[in-house]
Amino acid sequence: MRPPLKFAVIGIDHNHIYGMINGLLGEGAEFTGWATSAETPLSQCQRFGESYPDVPMVEPDALLDDASVQLIVSAAINDQRAGIAIAAMQAGKDAFVDKPGCTTLSELEAIRECVDATGRKWVVCFSERLQVESVTLADHLIREGRIGKVVQTVGLGPHRHNPSLRADWFWQRSRYGGILTDICAHQFDQFLHFTGSTQASVVTAHIGNVANPDRPDFQDFGEVLLEGNGGRGYARVDWLTPDGLPTWGDGRMTILGTHGTIELRKYIDIAGRPGKDHVFLADQKGVEHFDATGAGLPFFGKFYADIIERTEAAMTQAHAFLATQLALQAQANAESQQ
């Protein structure tokens, strides 16, 4: 029987918090308490409380002062996440934050310094990889050598912006961090993961507001070209998903290898097969379609063990730092050209 893991939540402003919590609960972790900022709508707090009725809402300082809590989980407003993570680590706890883990390069530097000073973990939940079974299957196929050496990734991350459901901070560049910092964070993570790159740089990046002229501070389109020591990558993200699509976004990842390709259609196969987690493979033998349902989500089990054993099987600290640095640097580069 594995040693117990107790975690608490500070910040519930993004719905990713449910996947983060449920992943930990599924591994047997204990959810001890939660807090959120005064900006979180009452309706959101009520829904969250109803989802976890046995978990008390308390003040953030009480969670930080509780020596039995080993991990702080946060999906707070984007510009609050760095401060919460640093407070958690300074209190002797590991930090597990929703993407983006922070919104500025200076925040990232402060997080690095805190990790070095405290020896605690700062792990970012890149849910478009960590909570997607088609990624698990793609990893397996790549390890089998089905497409040879990975040389490039092409990631597409369209989202529906649902304006009537969004809080004010969603539209404010200083708070959400910019489109490449925010939703493109997933793409930097996947590029590093699939190419195996441990060093990487931004070749070029672009952002724009193409369909929301009434929201001048909002960015609804972004793209980036990347170069790493394990391969190259391209990513495009947007807030332009049409209302007719029966899911929030047609997220795709194409992985090019020296002997074949893999395409992930994570959330929908448009006008094709029902369901999600579709994997298409083309290699020297032909073409195959896989339903990745049931492939599993190994991240949370590994993460639980990492916290207890002080290992890095789920995500290295270097990976979390580099994926976040690339996102912030791409955002800065794109904005410098506006």
Side-chain angles (χ1 to χ4, degrees):
M1 183 175 179
R2 63 171 62 176
L5 170 62
K6 294 185 177 182
F7 72 93
V9 168
I10 302 178
I12 64 166
D13 296 276
H14 197 294
N15 283 339
H16 285 163
I17 193 65
Y18 292 97
M20 297 165 75
I21 291 170
N22 293 341
L24 289 166
L25 291 175
E27 295 298 327
E30 181 182 348
F31 184 10
T32 64
W34 65 280
T36 196
S37 78
E39 294 184 68
T40 307
L42 179 60
S43 60
Q44 203 163 343
C45 293
Q46 290 174 333
R47 177 192 168 208
F48 187 84
E50 291 168 357
S51 298
Y52 307 101
D54 298 326
V55 182
M57 182 181 184
V58 298
E59 291 298 318
D61 287 346
L63 300 175
L64 295 173
D65 292 340
D66 186 343
S68 72
V69 173
Q70 299 148 277
L71 175 69
I72 295 294
V73 180
S74 182
I77 297 171
N78 297 9
D79 67 341
Q80 297 174 350
R81 293 175 191 169
I84 291 169
I86 289 171
M89 291 186 285
Q90 289 175 338
K93 308 174 192 315
D94 295 319
F96 182 39
V97 296
D98 185 22
K99 68 80 217 156
C102 58
T103 57
T104 68
L105 286 165
S106 60
E107 287 178 344
L108 180 59
E109 183 57 31
I111 291 167
R112 288 182 189 270
E113 292 174 357
C114 190
V115 168
D116 289 342
T118 65
R120 309 316 301 177
K121 294 181 180 294
W122 180 76
V123 176
V124 181
C125 186
F126 300 108
S127 56
E128 290 187 21
R129 176 171 68 90
L130 305 180
Q131 295 177 275
V132 173
E133 288 188 302
S134 55
V135 170
T136 304
L137 179 56
D139 284 340
H140 177 72
L141 294 170
I142 292 168
R143 285 194 301 270
E144 284 187 336
R146 295 291 300 273
I147 63 169
K149 181 185 182 300
V150 174
V151 297
Q152 191 215 30
T153 61
V154 176
L156 305 180
H159 287 60
R160 179 179 288 123
H161 72 332
N162 291 319
S164 63
L165 304 178
R166 301 297 184 176
D168 289 343
W169 65 264
F170 176 83
W171 309 102
Q172 299 167 14
R173 161 63 182 86
S174 63
R175 306 216 65 189
Y176 72 86
I179 192 169
L180 298 180
T181 296
D182 185 16
I183 59 174
C184 204
H186 297 292
Q187 307 302 327
F188 298 104
D189 163 70
Q190 291 171 92
F191 158 72
L192 294 176
H193 173 75
F194 286 121
T195 65
S197 293
T198 56
Q199 301 174 22
S201 60
V202 177
V203 178
T204 188
H206 174 78
I207 55 169
N209 182 328
V210 299
N212 291 273
D214 57 325
R215 310 264 191 191
D217 208 25
F218 187 61
Q219 299 161 8
D220 57 21
F221 177 86
E223 60 182 344
V224 61
L225 183 64
L226 299 162
E227 182 175 35
N229 60 348
R232 296 177 67 87
Y234 171 81
R236 189 209 79 213
V237 292
D238 63 73
W239 287 102
L240 304 174
T241 292
D243 289 341
L245 192 76
T247 188
W248 57 267
D250 181 16
R252 301 194 185 198
M253 169 60 63
T254 300
I255 307 161
L256 173 66
T258 52
H259 302 308
T261 60
I262 294 172
E263 181 185 353
L264 312 184
R265 299 182 190 175
K266 299 179 181 180
Y267 310 113
I268 189 172
D269 181 20
I270 291 182
R273 300 168 177 86
K276 59 181 182 176
D277 283 310
H278 299 275
V279 177
F280 299 87
L281 180 143
D283 63 7
Q284 309 291 8
K285 298 178 181 179
V287 177
E288 292 183 71
H289 167 263
F290 302 86
D291 179 354
T293 304
L297 300 173
F299 169 79
F300 286 97
K302 293 179 180 180
F303 183 44
Y304 188 121
D306 284 346
I307 294 171
I308 301 300
E309 300 169 10
R310 312 315 293 168
T311 50
E312 290 191 323
M315 181 183 297
T316 67
Q317 190 61 80
H319 176 96
F321 283 151
L322 182 54
T324 304
Q325 179 181 321
L326 289 170
L328 294 168
Q329 192 61 63
Q331 185 71 42
N333 290 4
E335 288 182 346
S336 71
Q337 299 171 23
Q338 294 292 293

